[in-house]
Amino acid sequence: MLGCEKNNKNIQQLVAINPLSYTDVAFSSIKDTVFVSTYSGRISKRIKEQDKEELLIQLKDEVYSLQYSDKQNLVIASTLKSGILFIDVHTGEIKKTLQIKKDTWLNSIFLSKDDNYLIGFDTKGNNHIWDLNNDYKKLDFKKELPNSFIRYVDKLGAFYYQTQGKYIKWNPTDKRIEKEYKISGKLVDINDNGDFLLLNFNEFRMFNSKADSLEFKNKHPYYIYKYSNGDTVHDPYQLKLTAARFTMDKIYTSSLDQSIRVWNKIDGTLIDEWYLHNATISDIDISKNQKQLVSVDLKGEIRFWDLK
Amino acid sequence: MDTKFYKLLLAINLFVTIGLCLAYYKSNKIKPDFTNDIIKVRGIVVVDSSGVERVIIGSPLPDPTIHGYRISRGDYGSISGIMLYDSEGQERGGYVTDNGYGNIFLTLDSKTQQNALFMADPHGGAAIQVWGRNGNKISLSAGDEDIYLDLTKNNKALKFKTDEE
């Protein structure tokens, strides 16, 4: 990376990048086709049972989070230095850039299911909400909701803010709090019943928002160590969870332990465990018809799982 | 006349081309020899066979990546020295000095947090700390005025008599 030549006019920087790592994944069709991103700036299409990536764009920047907009046929990417990029999935052309202040970035972005709002908060703790149907206008509720972080937008357009041991459901149209929930953790999914799925380090929590009660919480029960001959042993470690998603009747969680666990959504019992990955699973996504799950890891592996 | 001239030109061309190829091949075979040189650089990166960066010697060292994103060391967290990374590219420990206050420290990290720290203050005194999650921590430090041994289990300090005889 750094040479020994004198008078090198290009200012090079150390980056500590694993170019293999997939940082995020997002379905772009009902099944079998997704977009993936890397620290090294690649955004590529991956198709089930095809070994090679189809490069969409090579950015001179790091990409941490991806969302796919069905309506606009765009991939939305959160980067280290270039802000938020809207990329045409057919041409790879950058159609729109949303600037973020210097020396800060968004590690995670979320696109509402109706493609109306793009949300996230930056590394300095500032919330960002863009109204995509209103010329990307930024919405700001800092005065009404200080010291809070936007985490989710539900299908009815309500915003969910995390603040000091609770969540606030916020109506952006009327600018009022609809409800408060005494639950902590990172809100990662809300299902059609309004149940919350939250992550708290190595534990996931299923919260019934209508009953205002925690239904259950659970951890991956053990780390599955794999020997080179295929044998496995269960080590009693509960490692950090990296992602979780609802389907109609199940919950799927991924972890640093390189596994995906399948849980019964009603009572939280463990149904299945998938351990074909050989690295930390950085993200999972579930197709819109809930018939397929895709997972990516930090050594560049991708796996499609057909769901029952 | 014309044919002879073209044949000659072709022969010269071939001769020059082969000569250039040989010279290029030979120049590629020559390895640079730094054994008598002092190498002055801002950073050195060691990568594994997959291209994953495993050791960086640099000033300043980059911010760490963690499970698909990057976190900042903060406005006053800039450091220089040697950093080690695991096969997933995760920062796992280093031997560094900070670029502000002037501490020197050796750290050992799990995939989610720092678990061991051995540190010396620029003005004297040193400390060793090891900790796990759930409020378990052992600290051992010595300064010019006093020594300290603190043990914390599940966020509760274990009491010791000081200067026990």
Side-chain angles (χ1 to χ4, degrees), chain A residues 5-21:
Chain A
E5 303 96 13
K6 291 175 183 173
N7 302 321
N8 188 347
K9 287 178 183 173
N10 294 323
I11 298 169
Q12 294 175 307
Q13 283 189 322
L14 296 164
V15 291
I17 276 180
N18 176 353
L20 305 176
S21 292

Side-chain angles (χ1 to χ4, degrees), chain A residues 1-4 14-21 23 39 62 64 105 107 124 201 240 256 258 279-280 282 298-299, chain B residues 39 41-43 45 50-53 56 58 60 62 65-70 72 75 85 87-88 111-112 133:
Chain A
M1 175 177 291
L2 293 184
C4 299
L14 296 164
V15 291
I17 276 180
N18 176 353
L20 305 176
S21 292
T23 54
Y39 285 123
E62 300 176 17
Y64 307 127
W105 61 92
N107 276 317
K124 306 259 186 197
F201 192 70
K240 185 184 174 187
L256 261 66
Q258 309 177 356
T280 294
S282 45
L298 293 183
K299 288 188 177 175
Chain B
I39 300 171
V41 293
R42 289 288 300 277
V45 181
S50 303
V52 180
E53 299 185 2
I56 295 181
T65 60
I66 181 165
H67 319 145
Y69 51 91
R70 191 178 285 279
S72 170
D75 293 338
Y85 302 83
S87 62
E88 294 183 348
K111 278 183 171 292
T112 53
R133 282 184 58 78

Side-chain angles (χ1 to χ4, degrees), chain A residues 1-2 14, chain B residues 41-46 53-62 79-85 95-96:
Chain A
M1 175 177 291
L2 293 184
L14 296 164
Chain B
V41 293
R42 289 288 300 277
I44 294 173
V45 181
V46 177
E53 299 185 2
R54 303 299 298 274
V55 183
I56 295 181
I57 303 173
S59 175
L61 286 162
I79 53 171
S80 299
I82 304 167
M83 194 65 79
L84 305 182
Y85 302 83
Y95 185 30
V96 301

Side-chain angles (χ1 to χ4, degrees), chain A residues 32-160:
Chain A
D32 296 344
T33 308
V34 297
F35 282 98
V36 292
S37 57
T38 66
Y39 285 123
S40 53
R42 274 188 345 266
I43 298 177
S44 304
K45 184 188 278 186
R46 291 297 310 253
I47 299 170
K48 187 184 176 186
E49 290 170 2
Q50 287 189 13
D51 290 339
K52 287 189 177 174
E53 296 180 356
E54 291 178 21
L55 184 69
L56 176 67
I57 187 170
Q58 174 65 61
L59 299 168
K60 289 180 179 173
D61 204 345
E62 300 176 17
V63 185
Y64 307 127
S65 186
L66 278 188
Q67 294 284 288
Y68 176 73
S69 169
D70 232 356
K71 273 187 188 172
Q72 303 184 61
N73 263 324
L74 295 170
V75 167
I76 307 169
S78 178
T79 67
L80 176 64
K81 292 174 182 168
S82 313
I84 310 292
L85 305 176
F86 292 70
I87 303 157
D88 187 299
V89 295
H90 299 300
T91 63
E93 185 187 349
I94 298 171
K95 293 283 190 182
K96 173 82 182 170
T97 301
L98 300 173
Q99 298 291 345
I100 307 294
K101 274 185 188 172
K102 201 184 168 194
D103 295 330
T104 186
W105 61 92
L106 279 73
N107 276 317
S108 179
I109 52 173
F110 176 82
L111 181 68
S112 61
K113 286 193 170 68
D114 55 11
D115 287 12
N116 287 346
Y117 298 104
L118 183 71
I119 64 161
F121 56 88
D122 64 36
T123 50
K124 306 259 186 197
N126 304 302
N127 289 318
H128 298 269
I129 306 164
W130 292 278
D131 185 346
L132 304 191
N133 289 332
N134 194 6
D135 198 24
Y136 302 88
K137 185 185 171 189
K138 278 199 85 171
L139 305 181
D140 186 3
F141 302 110
K142 196 162 55 182
K143 283 182 186 171
E144 296 91 338
L145 301 167
N147 305 317
S148 56
F149 303 97
I150 187 147
R151 287 287 192 188
Y152 203 88
V153 183
D154 72 14
K155 60 182 182 179
L156 298 173
F159 295 174
Y160 291 80

Side-chain angles (χ1 to χ4, degrees), chain B residues 24-107:
Chain B
Y24 178 74
Y25 177 73
K26 203 177 170 185
S27 71
N28 273 353
K29 295 270 278 185
I30 299 169
K31 289 180 182 173
D33 181 2
F34 295 122
T35 50
N36 286 318
D37 292 334
I38 293 170
I39 300 171
K40 191 172 183 180
V41 293
R42 289 288 300 277
I44 294 173
V45 181
V46 177
V47 296
D48 65 19
S49 59
S50 303
V52 180
E53 299 185 2
R54 303 299 298 274
V55 183
I56 295 181
I57 303 173
S59 175
L61 286 162
D63 287 332
T65 60
I66 181 165
H67 319 145
Y69 51 91
R70 191 178 285 279
I71 55 173
S72 170
R73 293 190 201 278
D75 293 338
Y76 305 102
S78 180
I79 53 171
S80 299
I82 304 167
M83 194 65 79
L84 305 182
Y85 302 83
D86 68 17
S87 62
E88 294 183 348
Q90 171 93 46
E91 183 177 301
R92 296 296 301 279
Y95 185 30
V96 301
T97 53
D98 74 62
N99 296 332
Y101 184 68
N103 283 328
I104 181 165
F105 42 101
L106 177 70
T107 68

